[in-house]
Amino acid sequence: MEANFDGLVGPTHNYAGLSDGNIASKSNAKDKSHPKAAALQGLSKAKALKDRGFVQGILAPHARPDILMLKRLGFTGSDKQIIEKVAKGHPELLTNCYSSSAMWTANAATVSPSADTYDGRVHFTPANLSNKLHRSIEPELTGRILKQTFRDDKFFHHHSHLPSGLYFGDEGAANHTRFCKDYSEKGVEFFVFGNYSLRQGMPAPKVYPARQSFEASQAVARLHGLDMEKVVFAQQNPDVIDQGVFHNDVISVGNGNVYFYHEQALLDSDAVLSEIAMKLDSQLHSIMVPTKSVSVQDAVSSYLFNSQLLTKNDGKMVIVVPEECRANPAVWSYLTELEKTDKIVNEVLVMDVTESMKNGGGPACLRLRVALTDTELGGVNPQTLLTDSLYTQLTKWVEKHYRDQFLPSDLADPSLIDEVRFALDELTQIMDLGSVYDFQI
Ligand code: SUG
């Protein structure tokens, strides 16, 4: 089966405008956020999908502020004194070390299911997220959270993140798709990159950064021991990166034998699609959305492609889209037609994840896909798998600890450190995460 592990939105969810190239993040910078509503929206999405029979997990949020990062930058004193100094003299560092961006677990790691890997284990490589300061501080803790979640090393193989820096910039599953006939069979792993970091004169975006390099995608495929006859590398169209498509999952999504993509998503789409179909050795059901139906601008503002394509019991698929798709006439008319006419994708399900959308994260950003066998599912920490009881516990926990509203200026409040730590300490008990966080209370 395919399990989806959604990121639990952290208590300091805020809009700091930290992501150049991500239009929503920039345009909502300094707005008031609603951490409690954000976390509850995410949990409701996960619960709704669990109630429909999909396997749903939860990945814990990160501990913020990242005091260790500040200490490595030369700040000294008690944790509260450090925050006071940073708030006074370096407000830009304060927003970075307090970001709750780990909630977008599509960027947590690249995952290869056991059917594809050399040692028959599920492989995880945390993304180094080198392109943005606030995200580059995630991989160590992400690795620890993944180890506490996918525990049994008989089934799970955890790698370290790739070397930091721009040469091996890696953004995880947001730029990785797996096509297959059946989840349990060997599939085709599809890596989409934004640029070549070590080759001169290749196509590259001009306005915004490419976050994923070809060299990084290749390294992850090597680490996971994939059969290169079953791997496809493709370059994202640099022009769409320059229009705000900072990850491939903002312009295309695949599942099973279905690829749902925008006409302008890739360089040389025809060749890429034939390679996927050839390596899949079965029919690829490709749904190309033409620019005349949905412009790149509409795709970016509605997040049509940042949707989840989920296989139902009858083999058909539901597409889970954000509310913003319903509000966009061109996108909604496209989806209404798709639901009526497509042979496989026959249902549209709309979810409210507005708080995440305002930072550029749709339904698909909020989840990490992990295809597992029944036996492997047994090796997952059970307290990370969503049940009615875990949903109730997590909802109560959020209601108890999260603020209703938040402005980036609230990060200067030194008492926030304890507020967050008490909450996370309780969470480690609810989710049985041991000493995954490195703070003391
Ligand atoms: O990395 N936004 C995230 C959104 C990630 C979306 N993920 C996928 N497409 N898979 C990013 O740009 C904004 C944070 C801020 O501005 O406060 C932010 O990090």
Side-chain angles (χ1 to χ4, degrees), residues 14-19 22 25 99 101 104 106-107 134-135 174 211 246-247 249-250 306 359-361 365:
N14 71 96
Y15 303 125
L18 300 175
S19 276
N22 169 343
S25 152
S99 178
S101 53
W104 298 294
N107 307 119
H134 68 293
R135 304 223 58 182
R211 297 200 198 180
F246 56 97
H247 287 137
D249 68 3
V250 177
N306 200 262
N359 250 338
C365 298

Short mmCIF file of all heavy atoms in Angstrom, two decimals, residues 14-19 22 25 99 101 104 106-107 134-135 174 211 246-247 249-250 306 359-361 365, ligand 1:
data_model
loop_
_atom_site.label_atom_id
_atom_site.label_comp_id
_atom_site.label_asym_id
_atom_site.label_seq_id
_atom_site.Cartn_x
_atom_site.Cartn_y
_atom_site.Cartn_z
N ASN A 14 4.39 30.58 11.01
CA ASN A 14 4.27 32.03 10.78
C ASN A 14 4.66 32.37 9.34
O ASN A 14 5.19 31.52 8.62
CB ASN A 14 5.15 32.80 11.79
CG ASN A 14 6.62 32.65 11.50
OD1 ASN A 14 7.24 33.50 10.86
ND2 ASN A 14 7.22 31.55 11.96
N TYR A 15 4.35 33.59 8.96
CA TYR A 15 4.63 34.03 7.59
C TYR A 15 5.78 35.03 7.60
O TYR A 15 5.59 36.21 7.87
CB TYR A 15 3.38 34.68 6.97
CG TYR A 15 2.18 33.75 6.97
CD1 TYR A 15 0.98 34.12 7.55
CD2 TYR A 15 2.28 32.48 6.40
CE1 TYR A 15 -0.12 33.26 7.55
CE2 TYR A 15 1.20 31.60 6.41
CZ TYR A 15 0.01 32.01 6.98
OH TYR A 15 -1.05 31.14 6.99
N ALA A 16 6.98 34.53 7.30
CA ALA A 16 8.16 35.39 7.41
C ALA A 16 8.74 35.78 6.05
O ALA A 16 9.72 36.50 5.99
CB ALA A 16 9.22 34.68 8.26
N GLY A 17 8.14 35.28 4.98
CA GLY A 17 8.63 35.65 3.64
C GLY A 17 10.04 35.16 3.37
O GLY A 17 10.84 35.87 2.77
N LEU A 18 10.32 33.92 3.77
CA LEU A 18 11.71 33.45 3.71
C LEU A 18 12.10 32.78 2.39
O LEU A 18 13.28 32.51 2.18
CB LEU A 18 11.94 32.43 4.84
CG LEU A 18 11.72 32.94 6.26
CD1 LEU A 18 11.86 31.80 7.27
CD2 LEU A 18 12.73 34.04 6.59
N SER A 19 11.10 32.51 1.53
CA SER A 19 11.41 31.67 0.37
C SER A 19 11.37 32.44 -0.94
O SER A 19 10.31 32.53 -1.58
CB SER A 19 10.44 30.49 0.31
OG SER A 19 10.88 29.47 1.14
N ASN A 22 9.22 31.47 -4.18
CA ASN A 22 7.92 30.93 -3.76
C ASN A 22 7.00 32.14 -3.58
O ASN A 22 7.13 32.90 -2.61
CB ASN A 22 8.14 30.14 -2.46
CG ASN A 22 6.85 29.74 -1.75
OD1 ASN A 22 5.78 30.28 -2.01
ND2 ASN A 22 6.97 28.81 -0.82
N SER A 25 4.85 32.64 -0.33
CA SER A 25 5.66 32.99 0.85
C SER A 25 6.02 34.47 0.83
O SER A 25 5.91 35.16 1.85
CB SER A 25 6.92 32.12 0.89
OG SER A 25 7.99 32.76 1.53
N SER A 99 11.38 29.06 12.03
CA SER A 99 10.42 28.66 10.99
C SER A 99 9.84 27.27 11.27
O SER A 99 10.53 26.37 11.74
CB SER A 99 11.12 28.62 9.64
OG SER A 99 10.20 28.18 8.67
N SER A 101 8.84 25.37 8.88
CA SER A 101 8.79 24.83 7.51
C SER A 101 8.91 23.31 7.41
O SER A 101 8.60 22.75 6.35
CB SER A 101 9.88 25.49 6.66
OG SER A 101 11.13 25.37 7.29
N TRP A 104 6.19 20.76 5.79
CA TRP A 104 5.99 20.29 4.40
C TRP A 104 6.85 19.05 4.20
O TRP A 104 7.99 19.11 3.71
CB TRP A 104 6.31 21.42 3.42
CG TRP A 104 5.38 22.56 3.64
CD1 TRP A 104 4.02 22.55 3.43
CD2 TRP A 104 5.69 23.86 4.17
NE1 TRP A 104 3.49 23.77 3.78
CE2 TRP A 104 4.48 24.58 4.24
CE3 TRP A 104 6.86 24.47 4.59
CZ2 TRP A 104 4.42 25.88 4.72
CZ3 TRP A 104 6.81 25.76 5.07
CH2 TRP A 104 5.60 26.45 5.12
N ALA A 106 6.77 16.68 2.18
CA ALA A 106 7.21 16.28 0.83
C ALA A 106 8.66 16.67 0.63
O ALA A 106 9.34 16.15 -0.25
CB ALA A 106 6.34 16.95 -0.23
N ASN A 107 9.15 17.59 1.47
CA ASN A 107 10.56 18.00 1.39
C ASN A 107 11.40 17.36 2.49
O ASN A 107 12.57 17.73 2.66
CB ASN A 107 10.69 19.52 1.50
CG ASN A 107 9.82 20.24 0.50
OD1 ASN A 107 8.94 21.00 0.88
ND2 ASN A 107 10.02 19.98 -0.76
N HIS A 134 16.43 28.83 6.28
CA HIS A 134 15.49 28.27 7.27
C HIS A 134 15.22 26.79 7.04
O HIS A 134 14.84 26.08 7.96
CB HIS A 134 14.18 29.06 7.29
CG HIS A 134 13.33 28.92 6.05
ND1 HIS A 134 13.71 29.41 4.82
CD2 HIS A 134 12.12 28.36 5.84
CE1 HIS A 134 12.76 29.17 3.92
NE2 HIS A 134 11.79 28.51 4.52
N ARG A 135 15.42 26.31 5.80
CA ARG A 135 15.16 24.91 5.52
C ARG A 135 16.42 24.07 5.66
O ARG A 135 16.36 22.88 5.96
CB ARG A 135 14.54 24.76 4.12
CG ARG A 135 13.27 25.62 3.97
CD ARG A 135 12.15 24.93 3.29
NE ARG A 135 11.76 23.72 3.98
CZ ARG A 135 10.80 22.89 3.56
NH1 ARG A 135 10.16 23.15 2.46
NH2 ARG A 135 10.50 21.81 4.25
N ALA A 174 9.48 16.13 -3.19
CA ALA A 174 8.77 17.13 -4.01
C ALA A 174 9.23 17.06 -5.46
O ALA A 174 8.53 17.51 -6.36
CB ALA A 174 9.03 18.53 -3.46
N ARG A 211 16.27 24.69 -7.05
CA ARG A 211 16.64 24.14 -5.73
C ARG A 211 17.20 22.73 -5.81
O ARG A 211 17.87 22.28 -4.89
CB ARG A 211 15.40 24.12 -4.84
CG ARG A 211 14.81 25.49 -4.54
CD ARG A 211 13.95 25.35 -3.30
NE ARG A 211 13.01 26.42 -3.13
CZ ARG A 211 12.18 26.48 -2.09
NH1 ARG A 211 12.18 25.52 -1.18
NH2 ARG A 211 11.32 27.48 -1.97
N PHE A 246 8.68 26.44 -7.80
CA PHE A 246 9.96 26.19 -7.13
C PHE A 246 10.22 24.72 -6.86
O PHE A 246 11.35 24.34 -6.53
CB PHE A 246 10.06 27.02 -5.84
CG PHE A 246 8.93 26.78 -4.89
CD1 PHE A 246 9.06 25.89 -3.84
CD2 PHE A 246 7.72 27.43 -5.04
CE1 PHE A 246 8.02 25.64 -2.96
CE2 PHE A 246 6.66 27.20 -4.17
CZ PHE A 246 6.80 26.31 -3.13
N HIS A 247 9.18 23.88 -6.96
CA HIS A 247 9.36 22.42 -6.87
C HIS A 247 8.55 21.79 -8.00
O HIS A 247 7.51 22.33 -8.39
CB HIS A 247 8.80 21.86 -5.55
CG HIS A 247 9.61 22.18 -4.34
ND1 HIS A 247 9.04 22.57 -3.15
CD2 HIS A 247 10.95 22.13 -4.11
CE1 HIS A 247 10.00 22.76 -2.26
NE2 HIS A 247 11.17 22.51 -2.81
N ASP A 249 6.53 19.42 -7.73
CA ASP A 249 5.17 19.06 -7.31
C ASP A 249 4.22 20.27 -7.34
O ASP A 249 3.06 20.17 -6.94
CB ASP A 249 5.15 18.34 -5.95
CG ASP A 249 5.54 19.23 -4.76
OD1 ASP A 249 5.79 20.43 -4.95
OD2 ASP A 249 5.59 18.68 -3.63
N VAL A 250 4.71 21.41 -7.83
CA VAL A 250 3.82 22.56 -8.06
C VAL A 250 3.30 22.53 -9.51
O VAL A 250 2.42 23.29 -9.89
CB VAL A 250 4.56 23.88 -7.72
CG1 VAL A 250 3.74 25.10 -7.99
CG2 VAL A 250 5.02 23.88 -6.25
N ASN A 306 -0.41 20.54 -6.99
CA ASN A 306 0.07 20.15 -5.66
C ASN A 306 -1.04 19.37 -4.97
O ASN A 306 -1.45 19.63 -3.85
CB ASN A 306 0.49 21.38 -4.86
CG ASN A 306 1.42 20.96 -3.74
OD1 ASN A 306 0.99 20.80 -2.62
ND2 ASN A 306 2.67 20.71 -4.08
N ASN A 359 1.85 29.97 2.68
CA ASN A 359 3.31 29.87 2.68
C ASN A 359 3.79 29.04 1.48
O ASN A 359 4.95 28.63 1.42
CB ASN A 359 3.82 29.24 3.97
CG ASN A 359 4.53 30.25 4.86
OD1 ASN A 359 5.00 31.26 4.35
ND2 ASN A 359 4.64 29.95 6.13
N GLY A 360 2.86 28.72 0.57
CA GLY A 360 3.24 27.97 -0.63
C GLY A 360 3.24 26.47 -0.44
O GLY A 360 3.96 25.76 -1.15
N GLY A 361 2.42 25.97 0.48
CA GLY A 361 2.36 24.52 0.70
C GLY A 361 0.95 23.98 0.55
O GLY A 361 0.07 24.29 1.35
N CYS A 365 2.32 19.02 -0.56
CA CYS A 365 3.53 19.41 0.18
C CYS A 365 3.48 18.87 1.60
O CYS A 365 4.52 18.64 2.22
CB CYS A 365 3.63 20.93 0.31
SG CYS A 365 3.76 21.80 -1.22
O1 SUG B 1 10.20 25.58 0.95
N1 SUG B 1 7.65 27.59 2.26
C1 SUG B 1 8.08 26.29 1.77
C2 SUG B 1 6.95 25.62 1.03
C3 SUG B 1 7.30 24.20 0.67
C4 SUG B 1 6.30 23.56 -0.22
N2 SUG B 1 6.66 22.24 -0.49
C5 SUG B 1 6.48 21.59 -1.68
N3 SUG B 1 6.19 22.18 -2.77
N4 SUG B 1 6.67 20.31 -1.66
C6 SUG B 1 9.31 26.44 0.87
O2 SUG B 1 9.36 27.40 0.10
C7 SUG B 1 7.87 29.64 3.56
C8 SUG B 1 8.30 30.02 4.95
C9 SUG B 1 8.09 31.47 5.24
O3 SUG B 1 8.18 32.29 4.31
O4 SUG B 1 7.84 31.80 6.42
C10 SUG B 1 8.37 28.27 3.14
O5 SUG B 1 9.41 27.83 3.62
#
